[in-house]
């Protein structure tokens, strides 16, 4: 009987040894940082929450064979729910608190090998993928919120627009891509890619092909913008009291820079279907400011043929603005072109020397004060 009892005790001790683990907790995920604390125990200790929130790595050491089906599992919930397992180890260092797998509880589990162990590994893998996706979404949302807060805080002044700013134009939100020094183009936030929409601080190369030519009033009158070209102002905001110049003085710079940004193609109407903002200087001594433009839909050959002597959209825009403002100068305008089928396309433009909200449906030259 005594021999039988001793044999039974040996079996029990062997089983306990196989189920027991020594777990050292550290404040780094590679188990090489500051030692936080230690746990020694087995399945009998139940669900534990030791060192939650202060440890990032755990060095798990088994007191028995490492292939006996027992291990230490870590969970993202505080109840050791198997469906929330994020890590498992039986004789190694494991990352237990990071943006991909923050543990809230752990326990010693065992008795399963083969298929059972494989199933746990699959659960852990899927849970970590889900947590990683959730973290990525939260990070993107936090970055967007931070960007919006920084935009709101900035004072309204020329040049306060920055790469990645958000702004609303005609009821739609855009992010501004700095395509060159002092040149920004609106991009749908859903299409924004940090690897593609990279900030460019280089100056825009304005070649002779990009520049518009000077036009005299008689030439503009011959084009008959109100009759043949079917162009008319639908919105006009007069110059502010402290403004030194308006749309007439900067429309040539605008279309030249848009042409250059459009690979030196003067067919810029569709290019301006996405908001376009540029920093400009006018006069001597130079007065700095910002000018923006935005066009709707797609221009047809009719206004180009009717309103341009050189058959370019850049010429249409510059000529129409100058013709419409031949008797007055405005800081913001909207031009309507009526097409043969009765549909209307629009071109909006505004300029400022001090930053302002979007007027006449033109892009705000300072998104921090956008509509």
């Amino acid at each position: 009987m005594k021999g039988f009892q001793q044999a039974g005790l040996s079996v029990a001790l062997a089983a306990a040894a196989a189920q027991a683990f020594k777990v050292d907790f550290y404040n780094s995920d590679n188990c090489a940082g500051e030692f936080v604390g230690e746990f020694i125990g087995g399945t009998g200790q139940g669900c534990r929450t030791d060192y939650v929130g202060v440890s990032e790595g755990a060095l798990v050491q088994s007191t028995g064979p490492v292939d006996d089906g027992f291990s230490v599992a870590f969970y993202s919930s505080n109840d050791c729910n198997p469906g929330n397992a994020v890590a498992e180890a039986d004789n190694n260092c494991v990352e237990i608190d990071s943006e991909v797998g923050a543990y809230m509880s752990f326990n010693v589990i065992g008795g399963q090998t083969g298929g059972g162990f494989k199933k746990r590994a699959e659960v852990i893998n899927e849970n970590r993928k889900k947590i990683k996706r959730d973290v990525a979404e939260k990070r993107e949302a936090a970055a967007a919120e931070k960007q919006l807060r920084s935009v709101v805080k900035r004072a309204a002044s020329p040049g306060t627009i920055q790469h990645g700013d958000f702004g609303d134009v005609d009821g739609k939100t855009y992010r501004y891509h700095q395509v060159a020094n002092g040149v920004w183009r609106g991009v749908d936030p859903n299409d924004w890619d940090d690897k593609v929409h990279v900030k460019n601080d280089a100056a825009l190369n304005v070649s002779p092909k990009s520049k518009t030519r000077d036009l005299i009033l008689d030439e503009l009158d011959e084009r008959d913008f109100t009759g043949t070209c079917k162009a008319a102002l639908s919105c006009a905001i007069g110059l502010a009291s402290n403004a030194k110049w308006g749309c007439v003085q900067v429309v040539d710079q605008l279309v030249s820079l848009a042409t250059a940004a459009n690979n030196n193609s003067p067919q810029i109407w569709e290019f301006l279907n996405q908001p376009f903002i540029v920093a400009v200087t006018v006069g001597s001594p130079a007065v700095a400011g910002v000018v923006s433009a935005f066009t709707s839909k797609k221009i047809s050959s009719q206004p180009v043929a009717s309103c341009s002597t050189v058959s370019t959209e850049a010429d249409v825009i510059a000529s129409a603005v100058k013709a419409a403002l031949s008797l007055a100068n405005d800081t913001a305008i909207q031009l309507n072109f009526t097409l043969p089928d009765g549909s209307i396309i629009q071109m909006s433009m505004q300029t400022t020397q001090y930053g302002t909200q979007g007027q006449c449906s033109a892009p705000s030259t300072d998104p921090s004060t956008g509509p």
Side-chain angles (χ1 to χ4, degrees):
M1 176 64 76
K2 184 176 180 182
F4 178 77
Q5 289 175 337
Q6 288 178 337
L9 179 60
S10 298
V11 171
L13 291 173
Q19 298 176 24
F21 287 89
K22 177 176 178 285
V23 184
D24 293 332
F25 292 87
Y26 296 86
N27 68 352
S28 63
D29 57 12
N30 62 357
C31 303
E34 181 182 347
F35 178 75
V36 175
E38 184 180 73
F39 164 81
I40 299 177
T43 56
Q45 272 66 40
C47 185
R48 310 282 299 191
T49 58
D50 304 44
Y51 314 114
V52 167
V54 294
S55 57
E56 297 181 3
L59 179 60
V60 178
Q61 301 173 73
S62 174
T63 60
V66 296
D67 59 351
D68 61 2
F70 290 88
S71 62
V72 179
F74 300 84
Y75 310 89
S76 60
S77 60
N78 61 4
D79 57 358
C80 297
N81 184 335
N84 296 324
V86 293
E88 182 178 4
D90 61 0
N91 198 43
N92 57 286
C93 176
V94 62
E95 183 181 44
I96 58 174
D97 193 350
S98 72
E99 61 181 21
V100 179
Y103 87 105
M104 296 300 292
S105 61
F106 69 94
N107 64 356
V108 177
I109 58 176
Q112 289 182 316
T113 57
F117 185 84
K118 182 179 180 181
K119 184 175 181 180
R120 290 202 307 272
E122 290 174 351
V123 170
I124 291 171
N125 187 46
E126 287 302 313
N127 286 342
R128 290 178 69 86
K129 285 181 179 179
K130 181 179 182 300
I131 292 173
K132 190 173 183 178
R133 287 194 300 270
D134 291 343
V135 168
E137 290 175 359
K138 290 178 181 178
R139 182 187 293 135
E140 289 177 2
E145 183 179 356
K146 182 180 179 180
Q147 179 69 47
L148 285 171
R149 285 200 304 267
S150 68
V151 168
V152 170
K153 288 180 179 179
R154 288 204 306 274
S157 60
T160 56
I161 182 172
Q162 294 183 16
H163 176 74
D165 275 356
F166 291 81
D168 290 339
V169 182
D170 202 25
K172 183 176 179 180
T173 300
Y174 293 88
R175 287 192 75 178
Y176 284 100
H177 174 208
Q178 183 174 314
V179 297
N181 185 29
V183 182
W184 301 268
R185 192 174 184 222
V187 177
D188 187 325
N190 294 321
D191 297 331
W192 185 274
D193 186 335
D194 287 333
K195 295 180 180 178
V196 175
H197 301 100
V198 178
K199 181 182 178 183
N200 183 10
D201 289 316
L204 193 61
N205 181 25
V206 181
S207 72
K209 294 181 180 179
S210 305
K211 295 181 179 179
T212 60
R213 59 195 183 88
D214 292 332
L215 300 168
I216 60 175
L217 188 58
D218 289 343
E219 182 182 343
L220 295 176
D221 288 340
E222 290 175 1
R223 301 195 197 182
D224 186 16
F225 279 88
T226 59
T228 305
C229 303
K230 304 295 184 185
L233 280 173
S234 60
C235 176
I237 305 297
L239 289 180
S241 59
N242 59 342
K244 303 297 183 183
W245 42 261
C247 293
V248 168
Q249 285 84 5
V250 293
V251 66
D252 285 333
Q253 288 191 61
L254 170 71
V255 296
S256 294
L257 290 168
T259 299
N262 194 32
N263 298 316
N264 286 321
S265 170
Q267 309 306 333
I268 60 172
W269 186 277
E270 194 167 358
F271 176 80
L272 295 176
N273 282 177
Q274 294 174 228
F276 189 68
I277 299 178
V278 293
V280 296
T281 56
V282 180
S284 180
V287 178
V290 188
V291 59
S292 68
F294 181 60
T295 57
S296 68
K297 302 180 182 178
K298 184 176 181 180
I299 198 170
S300 70
S301 59
Q302 189 270 340
V304 177
S306 302
C307 309
S308 174
T309 58
V310 291
S311 299
T312 68
E313 294 164 1
D315 181 59
V316 170
I317 292 173
S319 301
V321 169
K322 292 176 182 178
L325 301 179
S326 60
L327 299 178
N329 197 4
D330 293 313
T331 191
I333 61 170
Q334 184 176 77
L335 278 165
N336 285 358
F337 292 84
T338 303
L339 304 183
D341 62 2
S343 62
I344 296 175
I345 56 176
Q346 297 176 329
M347 182 268 177
S348 297
M349 174 182 174
Q350 85 159 344
T351 181
T352 181
Q353 293 99 66
Y354 51 89
T356 184
Q357 292 187 355
Q359 297 174 312
C360 293
S361 298
S364 170
T365 51
D366 180 3
S368 66
T369 59

